[in-house]
Amino acid sequence: MSENQSLDIFQSIRKDAFGALEEASDFETVHKIEAEYIGKSGRLTKILKSLKEMSLAERKEMGSTANALKKEIEEKIKLKKEEFGERGGSNHRDADWIDITAPGKKISRGHIHPISRVLKEVTSIFESMGFEVVEGPEVETEHYNFDALNIPKEHPARDLWDTFWIKPLKNGLLLRTHTSPNQIRYMEKHQPPLRIIVPGQVFRYEASDSSHGIQFYQLEGLMVDKTTSVANFKALIEQFFKKLFKENIQMRIRPGYFPFVEPGFEVDIKDRSDKWLEVIGAGMIHPQILKNVKLDPSQWQGFAFGMGLDRITMMKYKIDDIRLFHSGDLRFIRQF
Ligand code: DAH
Protein backbone atom coordinates (compact mmCIF):
# COMPACT_ATOMS: atom_id res chain seq x y z
CA MET A 1 0.00 0.00 0.00
CA SER A 2 1.44 3.36 -0.91
CA GLU A 3 1.49 6.14 1.59
CA ASN A 4 -1.09 8.13 -0.34
CA GLN A 5 -3.46 5.20 -0.58
CA SER A 6 -3.29 4.61 3.16
CA LEU A 7 -3.98 8.26 3.87
CA ASP A 8 -7.01 8.04 1.56
CA ILE A 9 -8.35 5.13 3.58
CA PHE A 10 -8.01 6.97 6.86
CA GLN A 11 -9.63 10.00 5.38
CA SER A 12 -12.60 8.06 4.14
CA ILE A 13 -13.01 6.17 7.43
CA ARG A 14 -12.83 9.46 9.26
CA LYS A 15 -15.36 11.06 6.96
CA ASP A 16 -17.79 8.11 7.17
CA ALA A 17 -17.53 7.67 10.93
CA PHE A 18 -17.98 11.35 11.75
CA GLY A 19 -20.74 11.75 9.19
CA ALA A 20 -22.67 8.84 10.71
CA LEU A 21 -22.09 10.05 14.26
CA GLU A 22 -23.24 13.53 13.36
CA GLU A 23 -26.51 12.13 12.04
CA ALA A 24 -27.06 9.61 14.83
CA SER A 25 -30.10 10.57 16.88
CA ASP A 26 -30.24 7.84 19.49
CA PHE A 27 -28.10 5.72 21.68
CA GLU A 28 -28.61 2.52 19.69
CA THR A 29 -27.26 4.07 16.50
CA VAL A 30 -24.15 5.38 18.24
CA HIS A 31 -23.60 1.92 19.61
CA LYS A 32 -23.79 0.41 16.11
CA ILE A 33 -21.35 2.95 14.71
CA GLU A 34 -18.95 2.15 17.49
CA ALA A 35 -19.01 -1.52 16.48
CA GLU A 36 -18.70 -0.71 12.81
CA TYR A 37 -15.51 1.33 13.16
CA ILE A 38 -13.70 0.48 16.36
CA GLY A 39 -15.43 -2.74 17.45
CA LYS A 40 -13.76 -6.16 17.32
CA SER A 41 -13.98 -6.40 13.54
CA GLY A 42 -14.50 -2.71 12.85
CA ARG A 43 -13.02 -1.01 9.82
CA LEU A 44 -10.32 0.77 11.74
CA THR A 45 -9.63 -2.20 14.00
CA LYS A 46 -8.91 -4.34 10.94
CA ILE A 47 -6.28 -1.91 9.77
CA LEU A 48 -4.69 -1.81 13.19
CA LYS A 49 -4.59 -5.62 13.23
CA SER A 50 -2.93 -5.73 9.83
CA LEU A 51 -0.08 -3.55 11.05
CA LYS A 52 1.95 -6.55 12.09
CA GLU A 53 2.30 -7.69 8.51
CA MET A 54 3.81 -4.40 7.50
CA SER A 55 7.35 -3.17 7.38
CA LEU A 56 8.69 -1.25 10.30
CA ALA A 57 8.58 2.07 8.45
CA GLU A 58 5.03 1.48 7.25
CA ARG A 59 3.96 0.34 10.67
CA LYS A 60 5.29 3.50 12.30
CA GLU A 61 3.60 5.78 9.82
CA MET A 62 0.26 3.95 9.60
CA GLY A 63 0.18 2.99 13.27
CA SER A 64 0.37 6.48 14.64
CA THR A 65 -2.23 7.80 12.18
CA ALA A 66 -4.57 4.89 12.88
CA ASN A 67 -4.24 5.27 16.63
CA ALA A 68 -4.81 9.01 16.48
CA LEU A 69 -7.96 8.46 14.41
CA LYS A 70 -9.18 5.77 16.77
CA LYS A 71 -8.77 8.17 19.67
CA GLU A 72 -10.65 10.86 17.82
CA ILE A 73 -13.55 8.55 17.03
CA GLU A 74 -13.67 7.23 20.60
CA GLU A 75 -13.85 10.77 21.92
CA LYS A 76 -16.69 11.66 19.59
CA ILE A 77 -18.60 8.50 20.51
CA LYS A 78 -18.23 9.31 24.19
CA LEU A 79 -19.71 12.76 23.62
CA LYS A 80 -22.57 11.32 21.61
CA LYS A 81 -23.34 8.75 24.28
CA GLU A 82 -23.45 11.44 26.92
CA GLU A 83 -25.81 13.40 24.75
CA PHE A 84 -28.24 10.48 24.64
CA GLY A 85 -28.19 10.00 28.33
CA GLU A 86 -25.63 7.39 29.13
CA ARG A 87 -23.66 8.00 32.25
CA GLY A 88 -20.11 6.65 32.61
CA GLY A 89 -19.20 4.64 29.51
CA SER A 90 -20.40 1.21 28.62
CA ASN A 91 -22.87 0.14 31.30
CA HIS A 92 -25.97 1.51 29.59
CA ARG A 93 -27.58 -1.88 30.00
CA ASP A 94 -28.11 -1.05 33.67
CA ALA A 95 -30.25 1.91 32.78
CA ASP A 96 -32.32 -0.18 30.39
CA TRP A 97 -32.84 -2.96 32.85
CA ILE A 98 -36.43 -3.50 33.89
CA ASP A 99 -37.53 -5.52 36.86
CA ILE A 100 -40.56 -7.26 35.44
CA THR A 101 -41.38 -8.75 38.83
CA ALA A 102 -41.79 -5.37 40.55
CA PRO A 103 -45.37 -4.56 41.57
CA GLY A 104 -47.14 -2.02 39.34
CA LYS A 105 -47.31 1.63 40.30
CA LYS A 106 -50.78 2.82 41.17
CA ILE A 107 -51.98 5.56 38.85
CA SER A 108 -53.15 8.39 41.07
CA ARG A 109 -56.67 9.55 40.35
CA GLY A 110 -57.89 13.11 40.50
CA HIS A 111 -61.29 14.07 41.81
CA ILE A 112 -63.71 16.93 41.71
CA HIS A 113 -62.95 20.00 43.82
CA PRO A 114 -65.39 20.42 46.72
CA ILE A 115 -66.68 23.72 45.33
CA SER A 116 -67.33 22.18 41.93
CA ARG A 117 -69.15 19.33 43.61
CA VAL A 118 -71.38 21.67 45.60
CA LEU A 119 -71.91 23.81 42.52
CA LYS A 120 -73.15 20.77 40.60
CA GLU A 121 -75.44 19.76 43.41
CA VAL A 122 -76.83 23.26 43.94
CA THR A 123 -77.41 23.67 40.22
CA SER A 124 -79.30 20.43 39.92
CA ILE A 125 -81.51 21.31 42.90
CA PHE A 126 -82.50 24.59 41.26
CA GLU A 127 -82.99 22.86 37.94
CA SER A 128 -85.38 20.46 39.62
CA MET A 129 -87.34 23.52 40.75
CA GLY A 130 -87.66 24.89 37.24
CA PHE A 131 -84.65 27.23 37.04
CA GLU A 132 -82.51 27.47 33.94
CA VAL A 133 -78.71 27.81 34.19
CA VAL A 134 -77.18 30.82 32.46
CA GLU A 135 -73.62 32.18 32.38
CA GLY A 136 -72.08 35.61 31.99
CA PRO A 137 -68.65 37.21 31.52
CA GLU A 138 -66.07 37.51 34.31
CA VAL A 139 -64.67 40.70 32.78
CA GLU A 140 -67.64 42.99 33.05
CA THR A 141 -68.42 46.59 32.18
CA GLU A 142 -68.99 49.27 34.76
CA HIS A 143 -72.44 49.69 33.25
CA TYR A 144 -73.64 46.15 33.98
CA ASN A 145 -71.74 45.68 37.22
CA PHE A 146 -72.87 49.00 38.72
CA ASP A 147 -74.87 51.62 36.82
CA ALA A 148 -77.64 49.40 35.48
CA LEU A 149 -78.00 47.94 38.98
CA ASN A 150 -78.85 51.33 40.43
CA ILE A 151 -75.33 52.03 41.64
CA PRO A 152 -74.22 55.14 39.74
CA LYS A 153 -70.73 56.69 39.99
CA GLU A 154 -70.12 58.45 43.32
CA HIS A 155 -72.95 56.44 44.89
CA PRO A 156 -71.76 55.45 48.37
CA ALA A 157 -73.01 51.90 47.76
CA ARG A 158 -70.09 51.35 45.41
CA ASP A 159 -67.99 51.06 48.55
CA LEU A 160 -69.74 47.77 49.23
CA TRP A 161 -67.80 46.29 46.35
CA ASP A 162 -64.08 46.97 46.31
CA THR A 163 -63.23 46.54 42.71
CA PHE A 164 -60.40 45.26 40.55
CA TRP A 165 -60.46 47.69 37.65
CA ILE A 166 -58.86 46.71 34.37
CA LYS A 167 -56.41 49.23 32.95
CA PRO A 168 -56.81 51.62 31.24
CA LEU A 169 -59.43 52.92 33.64
CA LYS A 170 -61.34 55.00 31.14
CA ASN A 171 -62.75 51.92 29.41
CA GLY A 172 -64.76 51.07 32.50
CA LEU A 173 -63.84 47.37 32.45
CA LEU A 174 -63.54 45.45 35.69
CA LEU A 175 -63.56 41.98 37.16
CA ARG A 176 -67.18 41.47 38.17
CA THR A 177 -67.65 41.97 41.88
CA HIS A 178 -70.86 39.93 41.89
CA THR A 179 -73.02 37.85 39.55
CA SER A 180 -75.87 40.40 39.69
CA PRO A 181 -74.99 42.05 36.31
CA ASN A 182 -76.49 38.96 34.73
CA GLN A 183 -79.93 39.94 35.99
CA ILE A 184 -79.73 42.89 33.62
CA ARG A 185 -78.08 40.98 30.80
CA TYR A 186 -80.75 38.31 30.90
CA MET A 187 -83.80 40.53 31.31
CA GLU A 188 -82.66 42.72 28.42
CA LYS A 189 -83.02 39.73 26.13
CA HIS A 190 -85.82 37.65 27.64
CA GLN A 191 -89.41 38.34 28.52
CA PRO A 192 -90.93 37.13 31.80
CA PRO A 193 -92.06 34.84 33.25
CA LEU A 194 -88.50 33.77 33.94
CA ARG A 195 -86.49 31.74 36.39
CA ILE A 196 -82.73 31.55 36.09
CA ILE A 197 -79.62 30.89 38.11
CA VAL A 198 -76.19 32.21 37.15
CA PRO A 199 -73.20 30.58 38.85
CA GLY A 200 -69.72 32.01 38.49
CA GLN A 201 -66.57 33.44 39.99
CA VAL A 202 -66.47 36.96 41.36
CA PHE A 203 -63.60 39.15 42.51
CA ARG A 204 -63.13 41.64 45.33
CA TYR A 205 -60.19 43.92 45.94
CA GLU A 206 -60.10 43.58 49.68
CA ALA A 207 -58.22 42.09 52.56
CA SER A 208 -58.90 38.40 52.94
CA ASP A 209 -59.57 36.49 56.14
CA SER A 210 -61.04 33.13 57.07
CA SER A 211 -64.47 34.04 55.67
CA HIS A 212 -63.53 36.53 52.89
CA GLY A 213 -61.51 35.72 49.80
CA ILE A 214 -60.56 38.00 46.92
CA GLN A 215 -61.96 35.44 44.51
CA PHE A 216 -64.97 33.26 45.21
CA TYR A 217 -68.09 31.71 43.71
CA GLN A 218 -71.54 33.17 43.71
CA LEU A 219 -74.80 31.91 42.40
CA GLU A 220 -77.27 34.53 41.26
CA GLY A 221 -80.95 33.67 41.20
CA LEU A 222 -83.75 35.54 39.51
CA MET A 223 -87.46 34.91 39.27
CA VAL A 224 -89.94 37.29 37.63
CA ASP A 225 -93.64 36.75 37.16
CA LYS A 226 -96.93 38.57 37.76
CA THR A 227 -97.32 37.68 41.43
CA THR A 228 -93.89 36.52 42.60
CA SER A 229 -93.58 37.41 46.28
CA VAL A 230 -91.31 37.35 49.33
CA ALA A 231 -93.23 34.27 50.48
CA ASN A 232 -92.23 32.49 47.27
CA PHE A 233 -88.61 33.41 47.91
CA LYS A 234 -88.70 32.14 51.48
CA ALA A 235 -90.33 28.86 50.46
CA LEU A 236 -87.84 28.34 47.65
CA ILE A 237 -84.81 28.93 49.85
CA GLU A 238 -86.11 26.74 52.68
CA GLN A 239 -86.78 23.95 50.23
CA PHE A 240 -83.32 24.45 48.73
CA PHE A 241 -81.49 24.17 52.06
CA LYS A 242 -83.47 21.09 52.99
CA LYS A 243 -82.47 19.37 49.77
CA LEU A 244 -78.84 20.42 50.00
CA PHE A 245 -78.12 19.64 53.64
CA LYS A 246 -80.64 16.78 53.94
CA GLU A 247 -81.47 17.88 57.45
CA ASN A 248 -83.35 20.72 59.01
CA ILE A 249 -81.04 23.61 59.45
CA GLN A 250 -81.94 26.87 61.07
CA MET A 251 -82.29 29.83 58.79
CA ARG A 252 -83.23 33.45 59.34
CA ILE A 253 -84.11 36.31 57.03
CA ARG A 254 -83.24 39.82 58.17
CA PRO A 255 -83.36 43.19 56.47
CA GLY A 256 -80.38 44.16 54.36
CA TYR A 257 -79.51 46.92 51.93
CA PHE A 258 -78.71 46.44 48.26
CA PRO A 259 -79.43 49.22 45.76
CA PHE A 260 -81.09 46.89 43.25
CA VAL A 261 -83.77 45.49 45.56
CA GLU A 262 -86.55 46.88 47.70
CA PRO A 263 -87.00 45.54 50.27
CA GLY A 264 -83.62 43.82 50.61
CA PHE A 265 -82.72 40.91 52.89
CA GLU A 266 -79.87 38.86 54.12
CA VAL A 267 -80.26 35.18 54.80
CA ASP A 268 -78.19 33.48 57.47
CA ILE A 269 -77.92 29.83 58.35
CA LYS A 270 -76.75 28.46 61.65
CA ASP A 271 -73.50 26.58 61.51
CA ARG A 272 -72.43 23.72 63.74
CA SER A 273 -70.89 25.95 66.34
CA ASP A 274 -74.22 27.77 66.69
CA LYS A 275 -73.01 30.85 64.86
CA TRP A 276 -75.07 32.62 62.19
CA LEU A 277 -73.35 32.57 58.83
CA GLU A 278 -74.48 34.98 56.12
CA VAL A 279 -74.91 33.05 52.88
CA ILE A 280 -77.41 34.96 50.75
CA GLY A 281 -78.17 38.57 49.83
CA ALA A 282 -81.61 38.98 48.31
CA GLY A 283 -84.67 41.09 47.82
CA MET A 284 -87.60 42.08 45.67
CA ILE A 285 -86.33 43.50 42.40
CA HIS A 286 -86.29 47.30 42.57
CA PRO A 287 -88.85 48.92 40.20
CA GLN A 288 -86.02 51.01 38.74
CA ILE A 289 -84.21 47.84 37.67
CA LEU A 290 -87.31 46.61 35.87
CA LYS A 291 -87.57 50.00 34.15
CA ASN A 292 -83.88 49.79 33.19
CA VAL A 293 -84.66 46.66 31.18
CA LYS A 294 -87.91 48.06 29.81
CA LEU A 295 -90.27 45.96 31.92
CA ASP A 296 -93.35 47.57 33.41
CA PRO A 297 -93.12 47.38 37.24
CA SER A 298 -96.91 47.61 37.52
CA GLN A 299 -97.17 44.33 35.58
CA TRP A 300 -94.14 42.36 36.66
CA GLN A 301 -92.43 41.71 39.95
CA GLY A 302 -89.86 39.29 41.20
CA PHE A 303 -87.09 38.43 43.56
CA ALA A 304 -83.35 38.12 43.10
CA PHE A 305 -80.68 36.58 45.27
CA GLY A 306 -76.94 36.07 45.33
CA MET A 307 -75.61 33.09 47.20
CA GLY A 308 -72.02 32.58 48.37
CA LEU A 309 -71.08 29.11 47.20
CA ASP A 310 -67.78 28.96 49.05
CA ARG A 311 -69.53 29.56 52.35
CA ILE A 312 -72.13 26.92 51.62
CA THR A 313 -69.35 24.48 50.74
CA MET A 314 -67.59 25.37 54.00
CA MET A 315 -70.76 24.66 55.91
CA LYS A 316 -71.39 21.37 54.14
CA TYR A 317 -67.86 20.04 54.56
CA LYS A 318 -66.97 21.70 57.88
CA ILE A 319 -64.17 23.80 56.38
CA ASP A 320 -63.14 26.69 58.59
CA ASP A 321 -61.08 28.88 56.26
CA ILE A 322 -62.25 30.09 52.84
CA ARG A 323 -58.67 30.71 51.70
CA LEU A 324 -58.00 26.96 51.66
CA PHE A 325 -60.04 26.56 48.46
CA HIS A 326 -57.51 28.45 46.37
CA SER A 327 -54.41 27.67 48.42
CA GLY A 328 -53.23 24.98 45.99
CA ASP A 329 -52.43 22.84 49.03
CA LEU A 330 -52.96 19.24 47.92
CA ARG A 331 -53.15 18.00 51.49
CA PHE A 332 -56.37 19.99 51.76
CA ILE A 333 -57.83 18.94 48.41
CA ARG A 334 -57.06 15.24 48.91
CA GLN A 335 -59.37 15.06 51.92
CA PHE A 336 -62.46 15.22 49.76
N1 DAH B 1 -74.79 40.97 44.56
C1 DAH B 1 -74.83 41.02 45.99
C2 DAH B 1 -73.43 40.90 46.54
O1 DAH B 1 -72.59 40.39 45.91
C3 DAH B 1 -75.68 39.93 46.52
C4 DAH B 1 -77.12 40.13 46.18
C5 DAH B 1 -77.94 40.86 47.01
C6 DAH B 1 -77.64 39.59 45.03
C7 DAH B 1 -79.27 41.07 46.69
C8 DAH B 1 -78.96 39.78 44.68
C9 DAH B 1 -79.78 40.51 45.55
O2 DAH B 1 -79.51 39.28 43.58
O3 DAH B 1 -81.08 40.69 45.24
O4 DAH B 1 -73.21 41.33 47.64
Side-chain angles (χ1 to χ4, degrees):
M1 207 187 284
S2 82
E3 202 167 294
N4 273 343
Q5 265 178 323
S6 63
L7 284 181
D8 280 346
I9 288 177
F10 289 132
Q11 255 164 24
S12 87
I13 290 180
R14 190 174 188 286
K15 193 165 152 256
D16 294 351
F18 274 76
L21 283 169
E22 217 44 74
E23 266 169 37
S25 57
D26 57 37
F27 189 91
E28 281 306 300
T29 314
V30 176
H31 207 62
K32 267 187 212 145
I33 296 168
E34 184 178 28
E36 195 180 329
Y37 292 91
I38 54 174
K40 255 192 204 134
S41 48
R43 275 167 75 182
L44 192 56
T45 315
K46 273 186 196 153
I47 296 177
L48 281 164
K49 274 182 184 162
S50 69
L51 286 180
K52 15 183 197 324
E53 285 131 40
M54 294 178 194
S55 70
L56 188 64
E58 253 183 347
R59 207 184 303 166
K60 252 194 177 164
E61 172 69 33
M62 297 270 285
S64 70
T65 315
N67 275 318
L69 180 58
K70 187 179 177 196
K71 228 180 179 165
E72 235 186 311
I73 294 177
E74 278 173 343
E75 212 92 287
K76 181 78 183 169
I77 285 176
K78 197 171 152 229
L79 284 179
K80 276 285 172 184
K81 282 184 173 174
E82 273 166 15
E83 184 181 325
F84 299 128
E86 191 199 41
R87 277 149 284 132
S90 60
N91 58 348
H92 73 284
R93 275 160 233 274
D94 280 355
D96 288 348
W97 190 74
I98 293 171
D99 180 1
I100 55 165
T101 64
K105 262 194 212 145
K106 207 169 168 187
I107 294 172
S108 62
R109 272 222 219 164
H111 63 75
I112 293 177
H113 191 280
I115 293 185
S116 309
R117 191 139 90 201
V118 167
L119 176 60
K120 263 190 178 172
E121 216 172 319
V122 167
T123 309
S124 77
I125 294 174
F126 279 109
E127 280 178 323
S128 77
M129 301 194 283
F131 284 75
E132 193 188 329
V133 185
V134 172
E135 285 190 342
E138 285 177 358
V139 174
E140 192 45 283
T141 63
E142 184 176 9
H143 171 77
Y144 284 111
N145 197 83
F146 289 125
D147 300 82
L149 285 167
N150 236 1
I151 321 167
K153 260 198 192 74
E154 317 303 340
H155 191 295
R158 282 213 181 179
D159 295 346
L160 292 172
W161 295 277
D162 295 303
T163 308
F164 285 111
W165 292 91
I166 290 176
K167 287 178 177 172
L169 269 176
K170 61 181 181 321
N171 289 347
L173 285 180
L174 46 82
L175 294 181
R176 66 177 175 199
T177 58
H178 49 180
T179 43
S180 302
N182 297 295
Q183 297 182 22
I184 308 291
R185 286 182 176 278
Y186 194 79
M187 287 191 290
E188 278 178 345
K189 295 210 173 105
H190 299 82
Q191 284 300 306
L194 44 92
R195 281 188 218 193
I196 57 159
I197 52 166
V198 192
Q201 292 210 77
V202 302
F203 308 86
R204 302 268 173 98
Y205 180 49
E206 60 187 19
S208 56
D209 60 31
S210 62
S211 54
H212 297 83
I214 58 165
Q215 179 187 4
F216 52 97
Y217 279 85
Q218 276 191 344
L219 183 124
E220 193 78 10
L222 182 71
M223 176 166 171
V224 182
D225 209 328
K226 298 233 143 109
T227 59
T228 307
S229 68
V230 177
N232 295 145
F233 170 70
K234 182 166 178 271
L236 177 83
I237 291 304
E238 270 171 357
Q239 188 67 20
F240 165 76
F241 282 132
K242 223 179 243 165
K243 287 194 179 188
L244 183 69
F245 291 109
K246 296 178 183 77
E247 57 180 305
N248 275 328
I249 55 153
Q250 278 192 66
M251 155 185 145
R252 70 176 182 192
I253 297 181
R254 60 195 165 84
Y257 170 71
F258 302 97
F260 32 96
V261 284
E262 180 56 37
F265 333 114
E266 279 168 27
V267 182
D268 303 333
I269 53 179
K270 207 168 219 178
D271 70 11
R272 285 175 182 84
S273 51
D274 248 15
K275 273 202 313 232
W276 289 108
L277 188 64
E278 186 196 327
V279 287
I280 294 178
M284 298 305 291
I285 301 170
H286 197 292
Q288 185 58 48
I289 301 295
L290 294 171
K291 283 184 203 155
N292 289 353
V293 296
K294 303 195 168 56
L295 290 180
D296 179 357
S298 68
Q299 269 202 56
W300 300 105
Q301 59 187 43
F303 60 75
F305 61 90
M307 180 182 292
L309 279 174
D310 298 59
R311 290 200 182 164
I312 287 185
T313 309
M314 289 166 78
M315 172 88 180
K316 194 162 157 90
Y317 292 109
K318 304 179 191 154
I319 296 162
D320 58 11
D321 194 325
I322 201 166
R323 292 166 293 193
L324 285 166
F325 289 128
H326 294 292
S327 65
D329 188 339
L330 293 176
R331 290 169 307 175
F332 168 72
I333 294 299
R334 286 191 179 125
Q335 296 175 71
F336 298 95

